Amino acid sequence: MNIRSQIAMVFHLDKCIGCHTCSIACKNIWTDRKGTEYMWWNNVETKPGTGYPSKWEDQDIYKGGWEKKGKNIKLKGMDKKSTYINIFHNPNMPSMDDYYEPWTYDYGHLLDAPAGEDQPTARPISLVTGGPMDIKTGPNWDDDLGGSQDYARKDINMKNISPAEQEAMFQLERMTMHYLPRICNHCLNAACVAACPSGAVYKRGEDGIVLINQNKCRSWRMCVSACPYKKSYYNWNSGKSEKCLLCYPRLESGQAPACMHTCVGRIRYLGVLLYDADRIKEIASCDEKDLVSKQMEIYVDPFDEEVIKSAKATGVADSTITAAQQSPVWKFLKVWGIALPLHPEFRTLPNLFYVPPLLPTMGTTSSGTYESTSSSLWGTIEESRVPMQYLANLFTAGNTEKVKEVLKKLMAVRIHRRDVTVGDFKKEEVEKALSETGLTSEIADDIFRLTSLPKFNERFVIPAAHREEAEELIENTADIKGNKGFGSVQKPKRI
Ligand code: SF4
Ligand code: SF4
């Protein structure tokens, strides 16, 4: 056993309202300077949809993540030889068309335009050419277009869903969508770390945050192509790659990351998980069908005496162990089993988990009034509007049983709470829903409480910082904001 600590996150998708406040908070703190115009370390996309950068999930195009070769795994898009051959031209990079052409507006015209008949407007100006442009796409261009031809129908997660089922998904009365906010997953088996020829990408020992050393980075951009989630970006101005750093300067001073702090839907939870680093290779290379359950095994019980002993032996601080015991992520993931990783088949062992969206009810208006099509108040999971295969393609590498298991638990909580507050379910129906999913009314209340009414310190359990360079926390880093990020104390040199 080699116990390490990892900061991990849960995003509860039923609660995301797609307001993009998280993206704006992140953009304003970290990526509002030259070279970062197109970067969205946090972005929110609509599913079904093609996302940002376009079709990022399609590794036939981008060749990111890992693939199984015999009993082992290897990076999908590169090995030592091809890295050497392609070092001056990485062929699997997303292009500007896949992101979008960044722009600003001609705001000056609003003030300087001569008096006229019409109100002046601010035309979009390309940040690439400096000339006027027609905006054709953007980071959230597919917002709310869950049924569209161009976005929803080109979603890669439609694979293995029969054409009839796909067609049914796009009928107006069956149409459904949900939001998918995404940040770097700070993976246990990070492809970006493995791919970097300069050794500039690294995983911080004390909390598992994945960072890029700006002085070591030589702009080979292998991290950009290797990350299957496309969460590493290249800054053309500094000549360095950059990525989400989980607001580590905020975490070190006990504050939640900005995207989480500002989240309007309060969908975000952050806490410590303890994991057994000795098992990474075995788990990352297991059969695809076992990936989710095996990944859950790597996170170990923070109350277990053996685990605590081993964690202390590897230098995990007492306060981190206490934080792991109180972690909301531990509860969602292991105690209740209602959170799943995004695309586990990329084999990076991501540390951002999602509570999948509980699907809308099936209804009909054929009689002139809205009628539920199911015998009970809410339909069963089997009757849902979205094919289970779609959610399975997103969260469980295609394993529909795993998704059903989670959705049934969420439905049981909903039925139990409806019984408590309104009381219009039959008692047997409530008991059946709970017993079938192994929940008790107490557990269902706990899930309800942490989902609906959590206080700030219940959503974010952040261990105290133990960095030797504690003085960095009190240095004024705001003076180089807009120059090299907010929180950096050193400017990287372009080499
Ligand atoms: S999500 Fe991508 S950038 Fe983040 S740690 Fe994983 S592989 Fe690296
Ligand atoms: S701020 Fe929260 S609710 Fe709003 S889009 Fe982001 S994750 Fe969703």
Side-chain angles (χ1 to χ4, degrees):
M1 219 164 20
N2 179 3
I3 302 301
R4 307 280 163 153
S5 80
Q6 172 72 47
I7 296 272
M9 298 78 68
V10 166
F11 289 3
H12 196 311
L13 294 184
D14 259 337
K15 302 197 322 164
C16 179
I17 54 174
C19 62
H20 300 270
T21 313
C22 47
S23 308
I24 299 300
C26 178
K27 187 91 189 143
N28 281 331
I29 292 187
W30 299 112
T31 57
D32 63 346
R33 69 215 127 82
K34 220 170 163 183
T36 60
E37 299 84 356
Y38 73 106
M39 292 185 198
W40 293 86
W41 292 358
N42 180 106
N43 77 295
V44 185
E45 38 202 72
T46 298
K47 284 282 164 202
T50 46
Y52 158 83
S54 180
K55 295 197 178 159
W56 62 269
E57 291 154 290
D58 190 343
Q59 303 314 330
D60 287 342
I61 302 176
Y62 293 118
K63 312 237 180 309
W66 302 85
E67 63 186 349
K68 195 162 157 64
K69 281 270 157 150
K71 287 194 176 149
N72 243 321
I73 50 168
K74 67 173 272 296
L75 284 172
K76 194 175 170 73
M78 63 195 79
D79 49 27
K80 269 191 188 157
K81 194 172 150 205
S82 68
T83 301
Y84 182 68
I85 295 169
N86 295 326
I87 203 150
F88 293 110
H89 168 65
N90 185 342
N92 302 320
M93 288 279 290
S95 68
M96 189 158 67
D97 288 345
D98 300 314
Y99 294 106
Y100 65 103
E101 184 173 341
W103 73 89
T104 180
Y105 291 94
D106 180 11
Y107 293 111
H109 186 64
L110 297 177
L111 301 172
D112 304 336
E117 292 287 300
D118 303 311
Q119 266 198 333
T121 53
R123 285 193 68 183
I125 304 290
S126 167
L127 283 170
V128 178
T129 64
M133 67 180 275
D134 290 326
I135 302 168
K136 300 235 169 54
T137 183
N140 61 339
W141 206 245
D142 58 354
D143 222 13
D144 292 0
L145 293 177
S148 65
Q149 296 279 348
D150 286 346
Y151 300 105
R153 283 181 194 249
K154 290 186 184 151
D155 185 326
I156 181 87
N157 299 296
M158 294 292 174
K159 66 177 183 233
N160 306 337
I161 302 176
S162 72
E165 272 180 313
Q166 290 190 28
E167 247 358 272
M169 266 182 94
F170 297 117
Q171 287 166 14
L172 199 57
E173 63 275 26
R174 290 183 62 119
M175 215 173 263
T176 171
M177 54 158 233
H178 65 268
Y179 301 107
L180 184 71
R182 303 199 298 118
I183 63 172
C184 165
N185 299 288
H186 298 277
C187 310
L188 291 183
N189 185 36
C192 57
V193 175
C196 177
S198 312
V201 194
Y202 66 103
K203 201 163 170 62
R204 238 167 52 145
E206 63 265 49
D207 51 17
I209 295 176
V210 175
L211 298 171
I212 301 178
N213 182 328
Q214 295 286 289
N215 289 324
K216 275 190 161 186
C217 175
R218 294 289 178 270
S219 67
W220 304 124
R221 300 171 225 188
M222 297 298 170
C223 55
V224 179
S225 53
C227 170
Y229 302 92
K230 289 291 160 277
K231 281 294 165 196
S232 181
Y233 301 84
Y234 175 67
N235 182 318
W236 58 265
N237 181 48
S238 66
K240 311 284 175 181
S241 288
E242 301 184 2
K243 62 181 286 301
C244 156
L245 34 72
L246 206 56
C247 285
Y248 74 83
R250 289 177 62 91
L251 285 179
E252 285 172 1
S253 53
Q255 303 172 71
C259 61
M260 309 204 181
H261 192 123
T262 53
C263 174
V264 175
R266 302 177 181 195
I267 79 156
R268 296 171 179 232
Y269 300 80
L270 176 137
V272 174
L273 290 174
L274 298 180
Y275 70 98
D276 184 358
D278 280 347
R279 297 197 62 197
I280 292 179
K281 189 174 171 209
E282 167 214 334
I283 290 173
S285 49
C286 73
D287 286 343
E288 196 154 291
K289 64 176 180 13
D290 301 327
L291 271 169
V292 177
S293 15
K294 284 276 188 189
Q295 186 179 350
M296 296 304 153
E297 280 175 25
I298 205 169
Y299 303 111
V300 288
D301 186 352
F303 296 96
D304 183 318
E305 285 306 323
E306 279 301 304
V307 168
I308 294 174
K309 206 167 121 202
S310 172
K312 286 187 176 176
T314 53
V316 178
D318 286 349
S319 59
T320 305
I321 296 171
T322 313
Q325 292 169 341
Q326 295 162 356
S327 167
V329 181
W330 169 255
K331 285 186 194 147
F332 275 115
L333 208 61
K334 293 284 295 237
V335 181
W336 302 327
I338 54 173
L340 296 164
L342 181 64
H343 287 300
E345 70 276 18
F346 298 159
R347 297 179 185 271
T348 59
L349 307 185
N351 287 305
L352 163 53
F353 301 90
Y354 293 88
V355 177
L358 195 48
L359 304 161
T361 47
M362 290 279 284
T364 170
T365 50
S366 50
S367 63
T369 51
Y370 185 85
E371 304 262 15
S372 171
T373 53
S374 55
S375 54
S376 177
L377 179 61
W378 290 303
T380 59
I381 298 305
E382 284 74 18
E383 289 169 314
S384 91
R385 292 193 212 179
V386 178
M388 276 304 119
Q389 191 65 48
Y390 179 80
L391 290 178
N393 290 345
L394 265 179
F395 299 117
T396 58
N399 184 339
T400 48
E401 289 313 308
K402 276 263 160 242
V403 174
K404 278 190 199 163
E405 223 173 79
V406 171
L407 289 178
K408 280 189 171 163
K409 282 187 187 176
L410 295 172
M411 187 60 96
V413 175
R414 192 183 266 191
I415 291 174
H416 165 71
R417 288 305 306 174
R418 172 87 183 190
D419 183 48
V420 171
T421 53
V422 184
D424 57 354
F425 268 108
K426 293 190 196 109
K427 279 280 165 250
E428 315 81 70
E429 218 176 331
V430 183
E431 274 159 25
K432 184 163 169 267
L434 288 175
S435 64
E436 267 182 359
T437 50
L439 299 181
T440 60
S441 52
E442 290 76 24
I443 299 176
D445 283 335
D446 284 350
I447 296 176
F448 157 74
R449 155 118 213 135
L450 197 60
T451 303
S452 313
L453 305 167
K455 300 239 166 51
F456 211 81
N457 56 1
E458 290 169 307
R459 280 189 283 144
F460 310 118
V461 180
I462 301 164
H466 289 281
R467 292 176 66 72
E468 300 308 319
E469 307 92 311
E471 68 270 21
E472 278 193 12
L473 304 181
I474 49 171
E475 266 188 54
N476 181 14
T477 52
D479 49 355
I480 53 170
K481 176 169 161 48
N483 186 331
K484 190 62 236 154
F486 184 54
S488 305
V489 287
Q490 255 186 327
K491 290 184 205 170
K493 276 201 221 120
R494 186 164 184 150
I495 298 169

